[in-house]
PDB file of all heavy atoms in Angstrom:
ATOM      1  N   LYS A 299     107.119  95.024  84.722  1.00  0.00           N
ATOM      2  CA  LYS A 299     107.317  96.530  84.865  1.00  0.00           C
ATOM      3  C   LYS A 299     106.526  97.279  83.829  1.00  0.00           C
ATOM      4  O   LYS A 299     105.923  98.326  84.275  1.00  0.00           O
ATOM      5  CB  LYS A 299     108.814  96.804  84.804  1.00  0.00           C
ATOM      6  CG  LYS A 299     109.606  96.132  85.997  1.00  0.00           C
ATOM      7  CD  LYS A 299     111.128  96.684  85.995  1.00  0.00           C
ATOM      8  CE  LYS A 299     111.237  98.076  86.450  1.00  0.00           C
ATOM      9  NZ  LYS A 299     112.517  98.574  86.714  1.00  0.00           N
ATOM     10  N   ASN A 300     106.364  96.792  82.666  1.00  0.00           N
ATOM     11  CA  ASN A 300     105.682  97.534  81.618  1.00  0.00           C
ATOM     12  C   ASN A 300     104.198  97.559  81.997  1.00  0.00           C
ATOM     13  O   ASN A 300     103.492  98.642  81.794  1.00  0.00           O
ATOM     14  CB  ASN A 300     105.722  96.785  80.248  1.00  0.00           C
ATOM     15  CG  ASN A 300     107.160  96.991  79.683  1.00  0.00           C
ATOM     16  OD1 ASN A 300     107.884  97.755  80.050  1.00  0.00           O
ATOM     17  ND2 ASN A 300     107.379  96.089  78.706  1.00  0.00           N
ATOM     18  N   ILE A 301     103.700  96.525  82.649  1.00  0.00           N
ATOM     19  CA  ILE A 301     102.314  96.430  82.995  1.00  0.00           C
ATOM     20  C   ILE A 301     102.042  97.126  84.379  1.00  0.00           C
ATOM     21  O   ILE A 301     101.082  97.973  84.522  1.00  0.00           O
ATOM     22  CB  ILE A 301     101.715  94.978  82.950  1.00  0.00           C
ATOM     23  CG1 ILE A 301     101.772  94.546  81.629  1.00  0.00           C
ATOM     24  CG2 ILE A 301     100.353  95.053  83.588  1.00  0.00           C
ATOM     25  CD1 ILE A 301     100.897  95.062  80.498  1.00  0.00           C
ATOM     26  N   PHE A 302     102.799  96.770  85.283  1.00  0.00           N
ATOM     27  CA  PHE A 302     102.491  97.131  86.680  1.00  0.00           C
ATOM     28  C   PHE A 302     103.273  98.374  87.295  1.00  0.00           C
ATOM     29  O   PHE A 302     103.033  98.832  88.245  1.00  0.00           O
ATOM     30  CB  PHE A 302     102.690  96.014  87.595  1.00  0.00           C
ATOM     31  CG  PHE A 302     101.832  94.853  87.434  1.00  0.00           C
ATOM     32  CD1 PHE A 302     102.260  93.687  86.552  1.00  0.00           C
ATOM     33  CD2 PHE A 302     100.473  94.730  87.880  1.00  0.00           C
ATOM     34  CE1 PHE A 302     101.384  92.774  86.215  1.00  0.00           C
ATOM     35  CE2 PHE A 302      99.675  93.743  87.611  1.00  0.00           C
ATOM     36  CZ  PHE A 302     100.108  92.671  86.766  1.00  0.00           C
ATOM     37  N   GLY A 303     104.263  98.794  86.556  1.00  0.00           N
ATOM     38  CA  GLY A 303     105.048  99.879  86.828  1.00  0.00           C
ATOM     39  C   GLY A 303     105.864  99.646  88.087  1.00  0.00           C
ATOM     40  O   GLY A 303     106.419  98.541  88.200  1.00  0.00           O
ATOM     41  N   ASP A 304     105.861 100.562  89.134  1.00  0.00           N
ATOM     42  CA  ASP A 304     106.504 100.296  90.346  1.00  0.00           C
ATOM     43  C   ASP A 304     105.554  99.572  91.356  1.00  0.00           C
ATOM     44  O   ASP A 304     106.093  99.404  92.606  1.00  0.00           O
ATOM     45  CB  ASP A 304     106.932 101.678  90.902  1.00  0.00           C
ATOM     46  CG  ASP A 304     107.935 102.325  89.969  1.00  0.00           C
ATOM     47  OD1 ASP A 304     108.811 101.612  89.329  1.00  0.00           O
ATOM     48  OD2 ASP A 304     108.084 103.500  90.085  1.00  0.00           O
ATOM     49  N   ASN A 305     104.435  99.140  91.050  1.00  0.00           N
ATOM     50  CA  ASN A 305     103.509  98.505  91.971  1.00  0.00           C
ATOM     51  C   ASN A 305     103.346  97.132  91.651  1.00  0.00           C
ATOM     52  O   ASN A 305     102.156  96.733  91.303  1.00  0.00           O
ATOM     53  CB  ASN A 305     102.218  99.357  91.997  1.00  0.00           C
ATOM     54  CG  ASN A 305     102.458 100.667  92.561  1.00  0.00           C
ATOM     55  OD1 ASN A 305     102.945 100.975  93.769  1.00  0.00           O
ATOM     56  ND2 ASN A 305     101.988 101.702  91.776  1.00  0.00           N
ATOM     57  N   ILE A 306     104.402  96.271  91.506  1.00  0.00           N
ATOM     58  CA  ILE A 306     104.227  94.990  90.979  1.00  0.00           C
ATOM     59  C   ILE A 306     103.647  94.014  92.300  1.00  0.00           C
ATOM     60  O   ILE A 306     104.181  94.116  93.271  1.00  0.00           O
ATOM     61  CB  ILE A 306     105.428  94.389  90.615  1.00  0.00           C
ATOM     62  CG1 ILE A 306     105.966  95.117  89.208  1.00  0.00           C
ATOM     63  CG2 ILE A 306     105.351  92.951  90.177  1.00  0.00           C
ATOM     64  CD1 ILE A 306     107.280  94.842  88.724  1.00  0.00           C
ATOM     65  N   PRO A 307     102.477  93.355  91.981  1.00  0.00           N
ATOM     66  CA  PRO A 307     101.915  92.572  92.967  1.00  0.00           C
ATOM     67  C   PRO A 307     102.941  91.516  93.480  1.00  0.00           C
ATOM     68  O   PRO A 307     103.941  91.121  92.837  1.00  0.00           O
ATOM     69  CB  PRO A 307     100.796  91.939  92.464  1.00  0.00           C
ATOM     70  CG  PRO A 307     100.479  92.691  91.152  1.00  0.00           C
ATOM     71  CD  PRO A 307     101.827  93.209  90.776  1.00  0.00           C
ATOM     72  N   PRO A 308     102.719  90.788  94.687  1.00  0.00           N
ATOM     73  CA  PRO A 308     103.660  89.603  95.016  1.00  0.00           C
ATOM     74  C   PRO A 308     103.687  88.678  93.873  1.00  0.00           C
ATOM     75  O   PRO A 308     102.730  88.353  93.278  1.00  0.00           O
ATOM     76  CB  PRO A 308     102.926  89.080  96.321  1.00  0.00           C
ATOM     77  CG  PRO A 308     102.067  90.226  96.775  1.00  0.00           C
ATOM     78  CD  PRO A 308     101.618  90.976  95.640  1.00  0.00           C
ATOM     79  N   PHE A 309     104.766  88.207  93.582  1.00  0.00           N
ATOM     80  CA  PHE A 309     105.056  87.211  92.451  1.00  0.00           C
ATOM     81  C   PHE A 309     106.163  86.194  92.801  1.00  0.00           C
ATOM     82  O   PHE A 309     107.032  86.539  93.699  1.00  0.00           O
ATOM     83  CB  PHE A 309     105.359  87.972  91.252  1.00  0.00           C
ATOM     84  CG  PHE A 309     106.819  88.505  91.089  1.00  0.00           C
ATOM     85  CD1 PHE A 309     107.890  87.669  90.563  1.00  0.00           C
ATOM     86  CD2 PHE A 309     107.258  89.723  91.663  1.00  0.00           C
ATOM     87  CE1 PHE A 309     109.215  88.080  90.407  1.00  0.00           C
ATOM     88  CE2 PHE A 309     108.560  90.079  91.612  1.00  0.00           C
ATOM     89  CZ  PHE A 309     109.535  89.264  90.924  1.00  0.00           C
ATOM     90  N   SER A 310     105.880  85.138  92.160  1.00  0.00           N
ATOM     91  CA  SER A 310     107.066  84.012  92.327  1.00  0.00           C
ATOM     92  C   SER A 310     106.894  82.967  91.225  1.00  0.00           C
ATOM     93  O   SER A 310     105.867  82.993  90.622  1.00  0.00           O
ATOM     94  CB  SER A 310     106.770  83.350  93.680  1.00  0.00           C
ATOM     95  OG  SER A 310     105.585  82.563  93.705  1.00  0.00           O
ATOM     96  N   SER A 311     108.072  82.278  90.961  1.00  0.00           N
ATOM     97  CA  SER A 311     107.859  81.117  90.106  1.00  0.00           C
ATOM     98  C   SER A 311     107.946  79.982  90.977  1.00  0.00           C
ATOM     99  O   SER A 311     108.747  79.815  91.998  1.00  0.00           O
ATOM    100  CB  SER A 311     109.240  81.158  89.249  1.00  0.00           C
ATOM    101  OG  SER A 311     109.508  79.888  88.610  1.00  0.00           O
ATOM    102  N   THR A 312     107.165  78.870  90.534  1.00  0.00           N
ATOM    103  CA  THR A 312     107.192  77.644  91.310  1.00  0.00           C
ATOM    104  C   THR A 312     107.972  76.613  90.680  1.00  0.00           C
ATOM    105  O   THR A 312     107.873  75.378  91.049  1.00  0.00           O
ATOM    106  CB  THR A 312     105.663  77.153  91.432  1.00  0.00           C
ATOM    107  OG1 THR A 312     104.961  77.279  90.249  1.00  0.00           O
ATOM    108  CG2 THR A 312     104.979  78.039  92.536  1.00  0.00           C
ATOM    109  N   LYS A 313     108.764  76.877  89.657  1.00  0.00           N
ATOM    110  CA  LYS A 313     109.618  75.873  88.874  1.00  0.00           C
ATOM    111  C   LYS A 313     110.716  75.182  89.602  1.00  0.00           C
ATOM    112  O   LYS A 313     111.154  74.181  89.261  1.00  0.00           O
ATOM    113  CB  LYS A 313     109.969  76.494  87.578  1.00  0.00           C
ATOM    114  CG  LYS A 313     108.785  76.685  86.615  1.00  0.00           C
ATOM    115  CD  LYS A 313     109.252  77.106  85.137  1.00  0.00           C
ATOM    116  CE  LYS A 313     108.149  77.026  84.141  1.00  0.00           C
ATOM    117  NZ  LYS A 313     107.028  78.021  84.614  1.00  0.00           N
ATOM    118  N   ALA A 314     111.080  75.891  90.753  1.00  0.00           N
ATOM    119  CA  ALA A 314     112.095  75.364  91.575  1.00  0.00           C
ATOM    120  C   ALA A 314     111.541  74.161  92.466  1.00  0.00           C
ATOM    121  O   ALA A 314     112.202  73.362  93.089  1.00  0.00           O
ATOM    122  CB  ALA A 314     112.814  76.338  92.494  1.00  0.00           C
ATOM    123  N   TYR A 315     110.177  74.083  92.414  1.00  0.00           N
ATOM    124  CA  TYR A 315     109.475  72.891  93.110  1.00  0.00           C
ATOM    125  C   TYR A 315     109.357  71.769  92.058  1.00  0.00           C
ATOM    126  O   TYR A 315     109.778  70.613  92.442  1.00  0.00           O
ATOM    127  CB  TYR A 315     108.115  73.284  93.449  1.00  0.00           C
ATOM    128  CG  TYR A 315     107.919  74.106  94.615  1.00  0.00           C
ATOM    129  CD1 TYR A 315     107.832  75.453  94.726  1.00  0.00           C
ATOM    130  CD2 TYR A 315     107.842  73.465  95.904  1.00  0.00           C
ATOM    131  CE1 TYR A 315     107.541  76.273  95.824  1.00  0.00           C
ATOM    132  CE2 TYR A 315     107.745  74.234  97.029  1.00  0.00           C
ATOM    133  CZ  TYR A 315     107.487  75.615  97.003  1.00  0.00           C
ATOM    134  OH  TYR A 315     107.434  76.265  98.156  1.00  0.00           O
ATOM    135  N   THR A 316     108.942  72.064  90.775  1.00  0.00           N
ATOM    136  CA  THR A 316     108.489  70.993  89.950  1.00  0.00           C
ATOM    137  C   THR A 316     109.400  70.733  88.752  1.00  0.00           C
ATOM    138  O   THR A 316     109.468  69.680  88.144  1.00  0.00           O
ATOM    139  CB  THR A 316     107.190  71.329  89.334  1.00  0.00           C
ATOM    140  OG1 THR A 316     107.325  72.555  88.594  1.00  0.00           O
ATOM    141  CG2 THR A 316     106.083  71.491  90.289  1.00  0.00           C
ATOM    142  N   GLY A 317     110.366  71.639  88.460  1.00  0.00           N
ATOM    143  CA  GLY A 317     111.114  71.741  87.230  1.00  0.00           C
ATOM    144  C   GLY A 317     110.300  72.330  86.206  1.00  0.00           C
ATOM    145  O   GLY A 317     109.061  72.599  86.478  1.00  0.00           O
ATOM    146  N   HIS A 318     110.754  72.672  85.150  1.00  0.00           N
ATOM    147  CA  HIS A 318     110.010  73.182  84.045  1.00  0.00           C
ATOM    148  C   HIS A 318     109.438  72.029  83.251  1.00  0.00           C
ATOM    149  O   HIS A 318     110.118  71.158  82.601  1.00  0.00           O
ATOM    150  CB  HIS A 318     110.983  73.989  83.018  1.00  0.00           C
ATOM    151  CG  HIS A 318     110.079  74.696  81.965  1.00  0.00           C
ATOM    152  ND1 HIS A 318     108.735  74.781  81.938  1.00  0.00           N
ATOM    153  CD2 HIS A 318     110.574  75.650  80.951  1.00  0.00           C
ATOM    154  CE1 HIS A 318     108.334  75.504  80.804  1.00  0.00           C
ATOM    155  NE2 HIS A 318     109.430  76.128  80.363  1.00  0.00           N
ATOM    156  N   THR A 319     108.114  71.900  83.256  1.00  0.00           N
ATOM    157  CA  THR A 319     107.317  70.792  82.810  1.00  0.00           C
ATOM    158  C   THR A 319     106.883  70.954  81.392  1.00  0.00           C
ATOM    159  O   THR A 319     106.000  70.220  80.894  1.00  0.00           O
ATOM    160  CB  THR A 319     106.168  70.330  83.749  1.00  0.00           C
ATOM    161  OG1 THR A 319     105.344  71.570  83.921  1.00  0.00           O
ATOM    162  CG2 THR A 319     106.698  69.901  85.111  1.00  0.00           C
ATOM    163  N   LEU A 320     107.372  71.990  80.622  1.00  0.00           N
ATOM    164  CA  LEU A 320     107.043  72.263  79.289  1.00  0.00           C
ATOM    165  C   LEU A 320     105.578  72.430  78.997  1.00  0.00           C
ATOM    166  O   LEU A 320     104.921  73.259  79.547  1.00  0.00           O
ATOM    167  CB  LEU A 320     107.677  71.217  78.485  1.00  0.00           C
ATOM    168  CG  LEU A 320     109.235  71.056  78.597  1.00  0.00           C
ATOM    169  CD1 LEU A 320     109.802  69.993  77.734  1.00  0.00           C
ATOM    170  CD2 LEU A 320     109.966  72.365  78.515  1.00  0.00           C
ATOM    171  N   ALA A 321     104.939  71.595  78.284  1.00  0.00           N
ATOM    172  CA  ALA A 321     103.539  71.753  77.941  1.00  0.00           C
ATOM    173  C   ALA A 321     102.609  71.573  79.038  1.00  0.00           C
ATOM    174  O   ALA A 321     101.540  72.117  79.058  1.00  0.00           O
ATOM    175  CB  ALA A 321     103.203  70.611  76.818  1.00  0.00           C
ATOM    176  N   ALA A 322     103.129  70.970  80.130  1.00  0.00           N
ATOM    177  CA  ALA A 322     102.369  70.919  81.417  1.00  0.00           C
ATOM    178  C   ALA A 322     102.381  71.985  82.261  1.00  0.00           C
ATOM    179  O   ALA A 322     101.582  72.248  83.189  1.00  0.00           O
ATOM    180  CB  ALA A 322     102.729  69.575  82.137  1.00  0.00           C
TER     181      ALA A 322
END
């Protein structure tokens, strides 16, 4: 929100696919 204000581009996290792989 700080960077994009009210015009945030499409976004998503893919960690529900892979899990959080830390350094990878």
